[in-house]
Amino acid sequence: PDPKYDSPLRKIQHWIFFIPFSFLFALWRVDTIKVIVEAVEQKRPGAKTELYALMAHYLVLLTVLPLNVWAPAVFFSGLLSAHIVTPTH
């Protein structure tokens, strides 16, 4: 792009790309919960089953892994996703 319209972050994007991707991965988890609750409220077929499965998933996840392990793992998963998505897209 034309340098006068270019973002200053472009010069360092290869150093910081993992930060937004990691937060995006965490945001996907929050959005999933919002979408499934909305689906249950709209009485979509199979929505309650999905909600129960998601609740069971998080129950097991938070029972087996303490929060101080689980939270960084979400961001680390985002980092791994960033390393896969960035070079392939």
Side-chain angles (χ1 to χ4, degrees), residues 4-22:
K4 67 181 177 183
Y5 298 114
D6 200 7
S7 169
L9 291 178
R10 185 184 299 270
K11 294 178 180 89
I12 60 168
Q13 70 183 2
H14 59 288
W15 293 109
I16 64 165
F17 71 95
F18 62 91
I19 297 169
F21 271 101
S22 294

Side-chain angles (χ1 to χ4, degrees), residues 11-67:
K11 294 178 180 89
I12 60 168
Q13 70 183 2
H14 59 288
W15 293 109
I16 64 165
F17 71 95
F18 62 91
I19 297 169
F21 271 101
S22 294
F23 280 100
L24 178 64
F25 203 77
L27 181 64
W28 285 341
R29 290 179 177 262
V30 173
D31 282 348
T32 300
I33 294 168
K34 287 172 32 179
V35 167
I36 193 62
V37 167
E38 211 174 90
V40 169
E41 289 173 350
Q42 294 175 358
K43 299 183 184 337
R44 288 192 213 156
K48 280 190 180 178
T49 305
E50 289 183 36
L51 176 63
Y52 296 144
L54 195 60
M55 288 169 59
H57 166 76
Y58 279 106
L59 176 71
V60 170
L61 188 70
L62 293 172
T63 302
V64 174
L65 298 174
L67 191 60

